[in-house]
Amino acid sequence: MIRNRQAFWSGAMFIALGAAFTLQATHYTMGTAARMGPGYFPFWLGVALALMGAIVMLGALNKRTTETTITRFDFRIVALVVGSVVLYGLALRPLGLYLSVFLLVIVSSVASHEFNWRVAIANALFLVLFSYIAFIRGLGLIFPLWPSAFES
């Protein structure tokens, strides 16, 4: 019997996504661990995702697991999260990395039932700084940082 329906269906989703990644990765050259081909990483990432999904799914069947139900599907939350990613993709070039990451975090934070402006702004500022350190300084990627009107 399924005791924790949220965990069960989350596990099922991870298994499906992992299987899709694994299956799609087989269309690319695999290579070996020493000389990885383009399909190597997505293949093993998909396998790991499917295994984690199976663990979550099996945990939902445990008799000691807290029993939960699933409430109605909230399309508003999905629209906010997916919409924030689309907004980020559209805003990156004209607004730059800093403002588009900030917008991504704020818009996706509104989807939470526990939304708090102070926490969302602090999180957005942290992720802007992290994005700069990780992607610009660390990996040397070239992104516009500010809107083109601000850059000289």
Side-chain angles (χ1 to χ4, degrees):
M1 179 180 166
I2 302 171
R3 295 198 38 89
N4 188 326
R5 294 188 187 285
Q6 291 170 327
F8 181 84
W9 291 109
S10 294
M13 178 190 68
F14 288 136
I15 291 171
L17 285 172
F21 268 83
T22 302
L23 184 63
Q24 186 63 34
T26 60
H27 293 81
Y28 297 102
T29 306
M30 291 298 283
T32 64
R35 292 188 54 96
M36 296 179 197
Y40 190 87
F41 184 74
F43 177 84
W44 289 109
L45 184 66
V47 168
L49 189 61
L51 287 174
M52 285 191 295
I55 291 168
V56 169
M57 193 180 224
L58 289 174
L61 302 174
N62 190 335
K63 291 179 182 173
R64 291 177 282 163
T65 301
T66 305
E67 192 164 348
T68 63
T69 59
I70 297 177
T71 58
R72 68 175 182 81
F73 191 78
D74 195 343
F75 288 100
R76 177 185 166 271
I77 292 173
V78 174
L80 282 167
V81 172
V82 173
S84 67
V85 175
V86 171
L87 177 65
Y88 171 80
L90 295 172
L92 181 60
R93 193 172 302 255
L95 295 182
L97 181 72
Y98 298 144
L99 293 177
S100 48
V101 167
F102 191 85
L103 279 173
L104 167 74
V105 175
I106 296 297
V107 173
S108 62
S109 295
V110 172
S112 172
H113 296 294
E114 298 153 8
F115 176 73
N116 178 318
W117 277 106
R118 203 175 274 170
V119 172
I121 290 171
N123 191 22
L125 291 172
F126 170 77
L127 287 173
V128 166
L129 178 64
F130 177 80
S131 296
Y132 174 74
I133 292 169
F135 300 115
I136 305 302
R137 287 290 181 205
L139 295 174
L141 299 178
I142 300 170
F143 289 111
L145 300 179
W146 292 105
S148 55
F150 291 175
E151 294 184 1
S152 50

